[in-house]
Amino acid sequence: MSYRLAFIGFGVVGQGFATLLRDKKEFLMAKFGLDYKVTAISDPVKGSVYQEEGFDLSKVLALVEESGNLDGYDKGVKGWDSLKTVNESNADVIVEVSPTNIENGEPGISHIRAALGKKKHVITTNKGPVALFYRELSELARKNNVAFMFEGTVLSGTPAINLALSTLAGADVQDIKGIMNGTTNYMLTKMAEGQSYDAVLAEAQKLGYAETKPDADVKGWDAQAKIVILANVVMGGDLKPNHVPTKGITEITLDDIAQAKKNGKKYRLIGHAWKESGVVRAEVSPALVGADDFLYHVSGVTNALTFATDALNKVTIVGPGAGKIETGFSLLTDFLSFHGAR
Amino acid sequence: MSYRLAFIGFGVVGQGFATLLRDKKEFLMAKFGLDYKVTAISDPVKGSVYQEEGFDLSKVLALVEESGNLDGYDKGVKGWDSLKTVNESNADVIVEVSPTNIENGEPGISHIRAALGKKKHVITTNKGPVALFYRELSELARKNNVAFMFEGTVLSGTPAINLALSTLAGADVQDIKGIMNGTTNYMLTKMAEGQSYDAVLAEAQKLGYAETKPDADVKGWDAQAKIVILANVVMGGDLKPNHVPTKGITEITLDDIAQAKKNGKKYRLIGHAWKESGVVRAEVSPALVGADDFLYHVSGVTNALTFATDALNKVTIVGPGAGKIETGFSLLTDFLSFHGAR
């Protein structure tokens, strides 16, 4: 089977996925009979190229690395905006990796609606549209008989959504709990070593873990979007982000952490979804965990999720929650999954 | 899609799966359109019944619970042996849950060869045939265009094989390491609390974790079979169990454990597979792990596996490694997987 891919957005995650597509081409063909070419990239900053025969990915990646944009690409049609690229390119798979917006999901939601309406598969790492419009979008995908997959919206490439939907398919997931934001876990880990909030935030920003405007991480909004996605997709909930009581780590002081340590505890920012009289509820909040809790031992930017199920008791997955190649890998997992590989 | 299942063996695991099939019938139909009936059970101790219209599973389970056998079942044909049941029943899915034999794989290997040859799907928790004959059996399944699946041979129902083959499909797994025997991990956990080897073995036997003849667990043979399966299935190895240097926990003394504790370490029985100049190798051995290693925190009968991959760094799955319903659940995962559910 051969696919044509269009990238909507070409930031870190898009480039990570493009790198995997370049480096694993022979492996994916030999192992899964998966063939593909990338025929369009549209990014508001880096520019836009459509080349219906498919790009030389090495050239594209080198160009973006060197010049920061696609202007120097010597073939194809330039200047199509994202919606024109979705609607008029020959791509049958839309890789939606535009910036996340958890207020209204734009511009991702418009890209995804257009793509599914045109019977194009969508794979995305964009949390906003999934957290806000999962039911509408999954129904639209079903009606148009195409895939809508988003493993990378939670825990980057660490299997979380596909783990629950495929390998735990026969189980009733009753509770999901875990560390789903790497930046704050890194900060809490470093604060437990005695560094101040401001110092670790500055360090996290320097390392590229935290944004210049760190609110989405430190106020818990990123974790909020992720627990909403898990609650709705895995547990059948119907939550909106603003339904979810959310508290970040901004009020935790070094004194709090020292006190916790004295009691053998650590702070972790926990996303939690559970069923209460058949209704799915969720919250995000810092919690004190003891050494008997697995999450106590999950440090730095690592993420972890525990699924409590009827048939299997607790299953925990631990792995990277961020990274260029790691998050790009989630798109490869989705791509392989609807291709039917295993 | 409607399937007819035959159980070859009806011990703890078979009964666990039958319980799930009974309790989840409506859920599985509603969610995945999965329909089925069980038309045959053949067990050397509990007897054999074939009823082509399908059993009342509640009746079968109650009967086995009360009387220990199937003799009192009031319908169907009695007395078919396992091979006749595989070959002549109307089942299109063979649930192979006869006792594990890691010397020569019998009688499971004969059941599986016969079933695949008859173009019947096979789902199994039987380690012997998979550890010894994976290449032959997977090729036979491929040729006959049927499924051959065995999630429960490793880590019971905790996703391990399906995790690697589906959610990590696009990755190159370069190293697998973990705790894959619950009995010995329970014993090491209790010994670290100061109890003697003999006392904890007796306790493990009382709790049903260890067999009367505990060699397969304490000498590492169970972990050996599991790491061979992982190495061959996930990493493309071609190992036989007797290729794998294997050491159990029988030589670990309370003194050793006390000394380790002084150094901040714990003993864990580790199965490990890795690539060395392109060749897959494996070993089973007790190892000292420190608190910075995740496996240090995995206690009791819980199992854990860490996959090191090219694209995703390390991913660890932690969950139950035994149990009636938990292991039965692995068969449901396999069943749903070839049914194409997600």
Side-chain angles (χ1 to χ4, degrees):
Chain A
M1 184 79 187
S2 185
Y3 301 89
R4 292 179 301 269
L5 283 70
F7 281 63
I8 306 303
F10 204 62
V12 172
V13 173
Q15 291 173 50
F17 183 40
T19 304
L20 287 167
L21 289 176
R22 180 193 64 186
D23 296 347
K24 286 181 176 274
K25 195 151 179 60
E26 279 177 40
F27 165 81
L28 294 168
M29 184 64 208
K31 194 158 175 192
F32 305 111
L34 180 72
D35 194 18
Y36 52 81
K37 48 193 174 186
V38 176
T39 62
I41 298 173
S42 181
D43 184 285
V45 176
K46 300 184 184 67
S48 179
V49 191
Y50 171 50
Q51 192 195 352
E52 52 181 68
E53 305 80 34
F55 295 123
D56 176 339
L57 283 176
S58 284
K59 224 162 150 184
V60 167
L61 286 163
L63 190 65
V64 170
E65 175 116 32
E66 284 155 26
S67 69
N69 63 58
L70 294 159
D71 299 346
Y73 198 75
D74 57 354
K75 289 185 189 158
V77 185
K78 303 270 166 69
W80 287 16
D81 70 17
S82 54
L83 275 173
K84 189 173 165 82
T85 303
V86 168
N87 286 317
E88 299 183 24
S89 75
N90 65 0
D92 42 27
V93 181
I94 302 299
V95 182
E96 214 294 328
V97 284
S98 74
T100 281
N101 166 338
I102 46 182
E103 308 269 307
N104 62 15
E106 291 293 359
I109 180 65
S110 294
H111 301 148
I112 296 173
R113 283 192 185 118
L116 296 174
K118 284 267 184 186
K119 298 189 188 302
K120 298 182 178 206
H121 303 291
V122 173
I123 57 182
T124 185
T125 57
N126 194 336
K127 285 181 285 291
V130 187
L132 293 162
F133 304 106
Y134 164 66
R135 287 203 176 187
E136 174 203 327
L137 296 174
S138 61
E139 179 55 24
L140 191 59
R142 202 194 52 73
K143 270 208 316 229
N144 287 290
N145 202 25
V146 288
F148 171 52
M149 302 191 76
F150 42 82
E151 173 68 69
T153 57
V154 180
L155 264 57
S156 100
T158 301
I161 290 169
N162 290 314
L163 176 81
L165 295 186
S166 67
T167 65
L168 299 177
D172 180 26
V173 176
Q174 297 164 333
D175 191 293
I176 303 177
K177 197 172 143 178
I179 296 167
M180 38 197 93
N181 178 273
T183 307
T184 49
N185 206 55
Y186 174 82
M187 291 175 65
L188 291 171
T189 302
K190 287 289 168 183
M191 286 173 77
E193 293 166 9
Q195 294 183 50
S196 75
Y197 179 91
D198 292 335
V200 293
L201 177 56
E203 197 180 314
Q205 285 167 328
K206 210 174 111 190
L207 289 166
Y209 298 152
E211 306 287 327
T212 321
K213 202 169 154 31
D215 288 7
D217 290 325
V218 299
K219 294 192 174 169
W221 303 337
D222 174 77
Q224 181 194 62
K226 289 169 177 171
I227 196 68
V228 166
I229 293 171
L230 288 165
N232 292 351
V233 176
V234 176
M235 297 173 71
D238 191 18
L239 296 173
K240 297 289 176 202
N242 59 12
H243 293 167
V244 176
T246 297
K247 203 176 158 187
I249 65 161
T250 51
E251 289 167 28
I252 300 174
T253 64
L254 279 182
D255 278 354
D256 294 334
I257 286 176
Q259 187 60 41
K261 200 171 181 178
K262 231 183 268 171
N263 299 323
K265 308 258 184 186
K266 290 179 183 172
Y267 278 100
R268 291 290 179 253
L269 182 64
I270 304 289
H272 184 199
W274 68 96
K275 287 184 185 168
E276 205 173 294
S277 319
V279 178
V280 177
R281 300 193 182 285
E283 71 170 354
V284 172
S285 176
L288 286 168
V289 295
D292 57 334
D293 190 323
F294 230 72
L295 301 179
Y296 182 95
H297 308 290
V298 176
S299 298
V301 292
T302 303
N303 282 189
L305 272 187
T306 298
F307 298 88
T309 73
D310 58 343
L312 203 54
N313 211 328
K314 289 185 181 177
V315 170
T316 300
I317 185 96
V318 188
K324 175 178 173 177
I325 297 294
E326 289 84 346
T327 310
F329 180 76
S330 73
L331 295 159
L332 181 57
T333 298
D334 286 343
F335 189 18
L336 281 170
S337 185
F338 77 73
H339 172 63
R342 76 149 275 159
Chain B
M1 185 77 187
S2 185
Y3 301 89
R4 293 178 301 271
L5 283 70
F7 280 64
I8 306 302
F10 204 61
V12 172
V13 173
Q15 291 172 52
F17 182 42
T19 304
L20 287 166
L21 289 175
R22 179 193 66 189
D23 296 347
K24 286 182 175 273
K25 193 150 182 58
E26 280 176 41
F27 165 81
L28 294 168
M29 184 66 207
K31 194 157 176 193
F32 305 110
L34 180 72
D35 195 19
Y36 51 81
K37 49 194 174 182
V38 176
T39 61
I41 298 174
S42 180
D43 183 284
V45 176
K46 300 184 184 67
S48 177
V49 192
Y50 171 51
Q51 191 194 354
E52 53 179 66
E53 305 80 36
F55 296 123
D56 175 339
L57 283 176
S58 285
K59 225 164 150 181
V60 167
L61 287 162
L63 190 65
V64 170
E65 175 114 33
E66 284 155 24
S67 70
N69 63 59
L70 294 158
D71 299 347
Y73 200 75
D74 57 355
K75 288 185 188 158
V77 186
K78 303 272 168 67
W80 287 15
D81 69 19
S82 54
L83 275 173
K84 189 174 166 83
T85 303
V86 169
N87 286 316
E88 298 183 25
S89 74
N90 65 1
D92 42 28
V93 181
I94 301 299
V95 182
E96 214 293 330
V97 285
S98 73
T100 281
N101 167 337
I102 44 182
E103 308 268 307
N104 62 16
E106 292 292 359
I109 181 63
S110 294
H111 301 147
I112 296 173
R113 283 192 185 119
L116 296 174
K118 282 268 184 184
K119 297 188 187 303
K120 298 180 177 207
H121 303 291
V122 172
I123 57 181
T124 186
T125 57
N126 194 338
K127 284 181 285 291
V130 187
L132 294 162
F133 304 106
Y134 165 66
R135 289 204 174 186
E136 174 202 328
L137 296 174
S138 61
E139 179 56 25
L140 190 59
R142 202 195 53 74
K143 268 206 319 226
N144 287 289
N145 201 26
V146 287
F148 170 51
M149 301 191 77
F150 42 82
E151 174 68 69
T153 55
V154 179
L155 263 57
S156 101
T158 301
I161 290 169
N162 290 314
L163 175 80
L165 295 186
S166 66
T167 66
L168 299 177
D172 180 26
V173 176
Q174 296 164 334
D175 191 294
I176 303 175
K177 196 172 144 178
I179 296 167
M180 39 198 92
N181 179 273
T183 307
T184 49
N185 206 53
Y186 174 83
M187 290 174 66
L188 291 170
T189 303
K190 287 289 168 182
M191 285 173 77
E193 294 165 9
Q195 293 183 51
S196 75
Y197 179 91
D198 291 337
V200 294
L201 177 57
E203 198 181 313
Q205 285 168 328
K206 212 174 110 190
L207 289 165
Y209 299 151
E211 307 286 328
T212 322
K213 203 168 153 30
D215 288 5
D217 290 325
V218 298
K219 293 192 174 169
W221 304 337
D222 175 75
Q224 181 193 63
K226 289 169 177 170
I227 197 67
V228 166
I229 292 170
L230 288 165
N232 291 350
V233 176
V234 176
M235 297 175 67
D238 191 18
L239 296 172
K240 297 290 175 200
N242 60 13
H243 293 168
V244 176
T246 297
K247 202 176 159 188
I249 64 162
T250 51
E251 289 168 26
I252 300 175
T253 64
L254 278 182
D255 278 353
D256 294 333
I257 286 176
Q259 186 60 42
K261 201 172 179 176
K262 232 182 271 172
N263 300 325
K265 309 257 184 187
K266 289 180 183 173
Y267 278 99
R268 291 291 180 253
L269 183 64
I270 305 289
H272 184 200
W274 68 96
K275 286 184 186 166
E276 206 173 292
S277 322
V279 178
V280 178
R281 302 196 181 281
E283 69 170 353
V284 173
S285 175
L288 285 169
V289 295
D292 57 333
D293 190 323
F294 231 71
L295 301 179
Y296 181 95
H297 309 289
V298 176
S299 299
V301 292
T302 303
N303 283 187
L305 271 188
T306 298
F307 297 89
T309 73
D310 57 343
L312 203 56
N313 210 328
K314 288 185 180 180
V315 170
T316 301
I317 185 94
V318 188
K324 176 179 171 175
I325 297 295
E326 289 84 346
T327 310
F329 180 77
S330 72
L331 294 159
L332 181 57
T333 298
D334 285 342
F335 189 16
L336 281 169
S337 185
F338 76 75
H339 173 61
R342 80 147 276 157

